[in-house]
């Protein structure tokens, strides 16, 4: 039923302002109004929550046990009384009648307004999966949610938090402190992806895991399971995670139902102008429920600006709201994370990155036209506000740009520091390299002892040899001591790092690194996500170091390896199926002929590697082509990979009048054993049946020449750009020994050559004697190398074509969308 | 479909540090890129050098390295970086609620 409007007390002829929403923006707007003109309006605040105005942000510390509800109250009952404000709490507004200028609450109370302010905030978004309404599923928005979580935590058990953004992580932290086993599920590949870049997100994830939380990224929730109460969460991939409590923190939606029902102009939020006035001049709106210039908000700082603009408008001195950049901080004790502005590198923007692995610090400042446009800080956020201030002021940082990343204390020093003078001033006892405990005195002694380059210093006293953070200081010491006559060492892996290939590999193994972002962090990469040179190298080094364990990063592979075919100049692909040892059959030939006709391949040719190459296949058709070839028993030939390519054979003893051994059979067996392996560069094998060497074994990476008494094994041949004939490694008597030697040699090459270094330049660099010393004298050492190769092979001998033909990574092949302009225009 | 923007799909259909193409009948493909920090860019899928498919390159920072001869192309401007000279046309693109929207006029012009 509808009551008559409550009449204002006759004595009070002031305009009546009704505020819907007793939350952060609604009450702040009233505070701003009171500060300007306390007498102008008669104010009534109607709130759905049965509480006074509190600080919603602080719900996280309440959950974590760091604060109580009393600590987070902003305005207590006294404030309402002292300012003559009527508070109707626990009774939400159910309807607005704009024609009559009244609002009606759920309990049926109707009040008349002159001005109405809608400050209803947001509703948590609940993913509508089956089971989302089971008891035990909560969101994280208000005090009631916190009470429900605290009650669940008191019973112990497991909690699953869906959403790895700011809210989700704060909920997970609180629940974990309260003793629950916590799993965070995040749909995106990295945590807090809207605020953090990949490097910072990786550090954050590692830190949370170190605190005992389980963090699953790329986790898509399919259903919440339970009989009358939540028991588990099931992911789309079938994984089930036990849960006594599920917290949904996947996002918020502006609470616009009331406004929409009242016929106000509503987009994603309630549309307002710069003065927070809606499409009805008597109705204002403020806070997370509004949309201003297409933008909606989820942090308080801009809301405070809105409240100021709103109050200015209400007292007749309109100022207008202007959006400003925002900054985020994660409120998890001991984890310092800060992000502000735009940290995506766009046109003309430049990244300045500083990493300090020993202290767990990552800082990235994005500068465009000498102005700070964004910052991501992890581990040390002390300078967050300074960067944010520079960002908001848009001042030029040119005068201290070189020192910008070191923070305010450094950059503020007026004279740009001369690094040589700075190191000269250090005492001899000053520690230069924290990882290896090397003092300035030791570095100088090392330099004076003949180490005249960075590499020599690293080798001599280990300074800057571990994480590389002090590389700059060591270089400055070298420059100062040698007065600039510094020798430049072997090339670094690429311009993203000061380390060479060998150092990177050594540290990956020594420090047990497991992912590309981890290597980049620990070894102080100077770019956020590397470049086209270092990413494929790191991907290879990791997969070589962690067989079966490392998850290949497809985006760090050259297109040919990503698409398992060779890109051609016109953007089509060529497809080379494996022909074991160069042998084929009518069935295979028929399948190839059918593919050529069916997909209109313009050319098929016999390759220099004894196989057939089908040209001109469109990317979209690749999976279908592979399916057809698979059906005839053929698998990928890896003609595209830094991998085992072909094993060329000649006819051998089975047919040839000169043949001494079964070179064809051996070639097939060798290819079956070694195919699929990833290498620093491509790797080719050949087996000839006699010294006439028809398979050209002496220009292969590993060549076998059969003789009466056994097998001559040759290594390091190359027929390419610079022809190099093989060196004779050794001679063995049996096929079994030949195969073991081949495996051991491959593994030595895999573990020690630099990425993109073929066996020929590798052997020229390390010397044949070295390779022989590793493979010949010690049978156990050789067997171990071979064993490591066989171990890693068990994970790679899956035909990548079959997986793609079955639909894996479909997105590599299909266009995302297609447009037909003619139809469009018709 | 009408309006200024063409709705292409969800942002996460593009692999992180990867690319997908939009086919435009009678014209060049448009390559959509998603960088490590989650930005989206759109370019004609043609390298200014010899028309390599940029969509097939390696994406790092806000740059893609062409798969054919390793030119580096800035995603925001389409300009070749470093010593190389050349530019590939960009297509205005924006994100809205996780959807990727391409400028309709520029997309259709790709077919012209
Ligand atoms: C198809 C084929 C030519 C042919 O039709 O015969 C071929 C084609 C290509 N070769 Fe080759 N090479 C082919 C046999 C060879 C041989 C002969 C052999 O393997 O016995 C050699 C010399 C032997 C050697 O490698 O030592 C050879 C030495 C090279 C080189 C130089 C390598 C070097 O170390 O100097 C390159 C360039 C590179 O790898 O950087 C190369 C690169 C290429 C690339 C991948 C160029 C490229 O990057 O796109 C060509 C790919 C075409 C395609 O789309 O398929 N190709 N290439 C042969 C494929 C064999 C197979 O069945 O897989
Ligand atoms: C756990 C948590 C942590 C956060 N941490 C941060 C942080 O670190 N930094 C930051 O900047 N922001 C943070 N936020 C976001 C911040 O709290 C919000 O941006 C802010 O509270 C929004 O203010 P508001 O007034 O628009 O909405 P609210 O504060 O939600 O207020 C809206 C009020 O309106 C009431 N209401 C809704 N409908 C009706 C109705 N029909 N009738 C009557 N009343 C109604 C609601 O019950 C609510 O009390 C956090 C939020 C949460 C939940
Ligand atoms: S020789 Fe040169 S042109 Fe011929 S296939 Fe090999 S790389 Fe291509
Ligand atoms: S076509 Fe792109 S670099 Fe040559």
């Amino acid at each position: 039923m509808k009551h008559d409007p409550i009449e204002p007390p006759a004595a009070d002829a002031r305009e009546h302002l009704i505020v819907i929403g007793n939350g952060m923006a609604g009450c702040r707007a009233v505070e701003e109004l009171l500060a300007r003109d306390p007498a102008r309006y008669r104010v009534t605040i109607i709130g759905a929550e049965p509480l006074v105005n509190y600080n919603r942000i602080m719900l996280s510390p309440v959950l974590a046990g760091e604060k109580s509800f009393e600590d987070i109250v902003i305005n207590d009952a006294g404030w309402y009384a002292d300012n003559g404000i009527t508070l109707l709490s626990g009774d939400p507004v159910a309807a607005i009648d704009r024609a009559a200028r009244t609002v009606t609450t759920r309990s049926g109370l109707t009040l008349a307004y002159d001005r109405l302010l809608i400050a209803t905030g947001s509703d948590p978004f609940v993913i509508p999966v089956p089971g989302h309404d089971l008891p035990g599923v909560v969101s994280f928005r208000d005090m009631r949610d916190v009470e429900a979580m605290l009650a669940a935590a008191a019973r112990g058990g497991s909690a699953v938090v869906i959403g790895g953004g700011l809210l989700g992580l704060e909920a997970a932290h609180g629940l974990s402190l309260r003793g629950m086993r916590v799993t965070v599920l995040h749909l995106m590949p990295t945590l807090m992806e809207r605020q953090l870049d990949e490097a910072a997100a990786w550090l954050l994830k590692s830190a949370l895991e170190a605190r005992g939380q389980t963090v699953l990224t790329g986790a898509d929730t399919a259903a919440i399971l339970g009989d009358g109460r939540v028991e588990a969460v099931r992911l789309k991939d079938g994984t089930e995670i036990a849960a006594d409590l599920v917290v949904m923190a996947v996002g918020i939606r502006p609470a616009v139902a009331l406004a929409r029902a009242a016929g106000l102009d509503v987009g994603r939020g309630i549309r307002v102008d710069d003065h927070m006035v809606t499409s009805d001049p008597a109705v204002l709106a403020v806070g997370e429920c509004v949309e201003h210039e297409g933008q909606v908000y989820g942090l308080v700082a801009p809301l405070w600006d809105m409240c100021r603009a709103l109050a200015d408008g209400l007292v007749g001195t309109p100022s207008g709201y202007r959006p400003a950049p925002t900054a985020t901080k994660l409120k998890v004790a001991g984890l310092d994370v800060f992000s502000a502005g735009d940290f995506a590198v766009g046109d003309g923007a430049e990244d300045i990155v500083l990493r300090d692995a020993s202290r767990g610090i990552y800082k990235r400042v994005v500068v465009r036209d000498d102005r700070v446009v964004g910052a991501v800080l992890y581990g040390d956020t002390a300078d967050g506000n300074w960067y944010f201030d520079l960002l908001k002021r848009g001042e030029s940082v040119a005068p201290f740009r070189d020192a910008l990343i070191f923070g305010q204390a450094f950059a503020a020093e007026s004279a740009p520091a001369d690094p040589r003078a700075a190191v000269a001033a250090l005492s001899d006892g000053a520690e230069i390299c924290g990882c290896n405990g090397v003092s300035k005195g030791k570095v100088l002694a090392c330099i004076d002892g003949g180490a005249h380059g960075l590499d020599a210093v690293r080798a001599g006293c280990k300074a800057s040899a571990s994480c590389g953070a002090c590389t700059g200081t060591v270089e400055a010491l070298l420059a100062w001591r040698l007065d600039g006559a510094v020798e430049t060492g072997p090339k670094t892996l690429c311009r993203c790092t000061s380390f060479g290939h060998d150092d990177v590999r050594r540290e990956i193994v020594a420090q047990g690194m497991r992912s590309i972002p981890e290597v980049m962090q620990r070894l102080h990469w100077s770019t956020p996500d590397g470049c086209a040179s270092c990413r494929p190298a790191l991907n290879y080094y990791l997969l070589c170091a962690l067989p079966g364990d490392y998850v290949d990063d497809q985006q760090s592979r050259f297109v040919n390896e990503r698409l398992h075919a060779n890109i051609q100049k016109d953007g089509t692909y060529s497809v080379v199926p494996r022909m074991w040892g160069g042998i084929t059959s009518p069935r295979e030939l028929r399948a190839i002929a059918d593919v050529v006709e069916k997909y209109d391949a313009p050319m098929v040719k016999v390759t220099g590697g004894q196989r057939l190459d089908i040209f001109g296949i469109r990317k979209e058709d690749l999976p279908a082509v592979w399916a057809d070839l698979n059906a005839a028993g053929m698998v990928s030939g890896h003609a595209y990979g830094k991998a085992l390519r072909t094993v060329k054979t000649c006819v051998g003893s089975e047919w040839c009048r000169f043949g001494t051994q079964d070179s064809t059979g051996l070639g097939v067996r060798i290819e079956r054993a070694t195919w699929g392996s990833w290498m620093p560069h491509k790797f080719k094998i050949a087996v000839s049946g006699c010294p006439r060497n028809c398979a050209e074994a002496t220009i292969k990476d590993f060549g076998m020449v059969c003789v009466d008494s056994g097998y001559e094994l040759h290594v390091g041949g190359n027929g390419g750009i610079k022809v190099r004939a093989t060196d004779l490694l050794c001679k063995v008597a049996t096929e079994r020994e030949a195969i073991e030697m081949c495996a051991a040699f491959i593994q030595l090459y895999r573990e020690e050559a630099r990425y993109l270094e073929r066996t020929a330049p590798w052997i020229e660099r390390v010397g044949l004697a070295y390779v022989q010393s590793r493979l010949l004298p010690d049978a156990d050492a050789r067997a171990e190398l071979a064993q490591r190769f066989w171990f890693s092979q068990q994970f790679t001998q899956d035909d990548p074509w079959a997986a793609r033909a079955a639909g894996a990574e479909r997105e590599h092949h299909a266009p995302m969308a297609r447009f037909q302009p003619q139809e469009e225009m018709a | 479909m009408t309006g200024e923007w063409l709705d292409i799909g969800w942002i996460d259909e593009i692999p992180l540090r990867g690319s997908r193409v939009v086919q435009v009948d009678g014209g060049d493909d448009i390559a959509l890129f998603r960088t490590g920090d989650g930005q989206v860019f759109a370019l004609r899928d043609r390298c200014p050098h010899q028309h390599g498919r940029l969509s097939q390159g390696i994406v790092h920072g806000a740059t893609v390295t062409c798969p054919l001869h390793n030119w580096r192309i800035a995603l925001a401007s389409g300009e070749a970086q470093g010593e190389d000279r050349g530019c590939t046309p960009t297509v205005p693109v924006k994100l809205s609620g996780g959807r990727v929207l391409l400028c309709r006029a520029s997309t259709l012009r790709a077919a012209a």
Side-chain angles (χ1 to χ4, degrees), chain A residues 1-7 102-103 108-112:
Chain A
M1 66 173 260
K2 205 172 165 183
H3 298 258
D4 288 332
I6 298 176
E7 287 303 319
T102 61
V103 300
L109 224 52
T110 297
L111 286 81

Side-chain angles (χ1 to χ4, degrees), chain B residues 32-72:
Chain B
L32 293 169
F33 297 90
R34 179 166 167 224
T35 58
D37 46 22
Q39 285 207 99
V40 172
F41 297 97
L43 298 176
R44 290 257 186 123
D45 196 10
R46 262 163 89 94
C47 177
H49 179 220
Q50 288 179 9
H51 305 168
R53 299 293 180 107
L54 297 175
S55 60
Q56 309 299 297
I58 290 184
V59 179
H60 47 98
T63 315
V64 61
T65 294
C66 177
L68 293 195
H69 317 97
N70 292 332
W71 278 29
R72 285 177 300 117

Side-chain angles (χ1 to χ4, degrees), chain A residues 730-751:
Chain A
C730 63
K731 200 180 140 191
V732 297
T734 63
E735 190 176 297
R736 208 185 49 77
E737 290 168 285
I739 293 176
E740 187 196 47
M741 193 62 79
C742 177
F745 175 77
I746 290 179
Q747 189 63 12
L748 187 65
Y749 170 63
R750 294 183 75 228
E751 289 177 5

Side-chain angles (χ1 to χ4, degrees), chain A residues 228-449:
Chain A
R229 216 200 128 74
V230 34
E231 288 163 13
V233 174
R234 188 192 304 131
L235 303 184
K236 291 237 164 92
D237 68 8
T239 314
E240 282 188 16
I241 303 148
D244 303 294
L245 171 73
V246 171
V247 183
M248 283 234 195
V250 291
I252 51 171
R253 298 285 142 93
V256 295
L258 260 188
R260 182 171 282 136
L264 291 170
D265 182 11
V266 172
R268 279 197 293 160
I270 306 168
R271 294 211 169 99
V272 293
D273 65 11
D274 288 357
H275 312 286
M276 303 293 125
V277 179
T278 68
S279 55
D280 175 344
V283 181
L284 305 125
V286 73
E288 281 182 353
C289 59
V290 308
E291 174 183 323
H292 176 261
E293 293 184 353
Q295 196 66 33
V296 297
Y297 293 86
L299 293 170
V300 291
L303 310 188
W304 297 163
D305 292 340
M306 287 182 193
C307 289
R308 279 190 281 275
L310 173 101
D312 286 339
L314 277 178
V315 299
T317 53
S319 55
Y321 166 72
R322 280 289 92 212
T326 54
T328 325
K329 249 181 154 155
L330 185 66
K331 301 189 296 301
V332 170
L335 285 185
D336 293 321
V337 180
F338 174 91
S339 117
D342 176 10
F343 53 84
V345 202
D347 215 5
E350 198 188 322
D351 263 316
I352 309 175
V353 175
L354 174 83
R355 306 189 192 230
D356 184 338
S358 51
R359 292 193 295 142
I361 289 172
Y362 169 77
K363 294 174 159 193
R364 173 168 170 214
V365 177
V366 184
V367 175
R368 184 181 296 129
D369 300 330
D370 283 332
R371 277 161 183 80
V372 173
V373 296
V376 185
L377 308 178
Y378 183 94
D380 173 6
T381 51
D383 284 309
N385 288 334
W386 182 60
Y387 291 127
F388 189 44
D389 194 46
L390 288 173
L391 187 155
K392 281 189 294 189
R393 284 189 291 137
E395 245 168 49
S396 168
V397 297
F400 49 91
R401 193 192 156 105
D402 291 344
L404 180 66
I405 194 73
F406 300 109
Q408 186 169 19
F410 278 87
E413 277 171 19
S414 47
D418 171 5
R420 287 199 210 180
V423 294
L426 293 173
S427 73
D428 269 6
E431 186 173 85
I432 301 295
C433 172
C435 299
N436 297 304
V438 190
S439 65
K440 173 182 164 189
K442 283 197 204 154
V443 177
L444 292 183
C446 180
I447 296 172
D448 297 343

Side-chain angles (χ1 to χ4, degrees), chain A residues 21 23-25 48-49 56 93 120-121 140-141 167 288 299-300 331:
Chain A
M24 299 195 68
E49 294 180 76
R56 194 171 305 288
V93 171
T120 46
F140 188 16
R141 180 70 193 176
L167 270 191
E288 281 182 353
L299 293 170
V300 291
K331 301 189 296 301

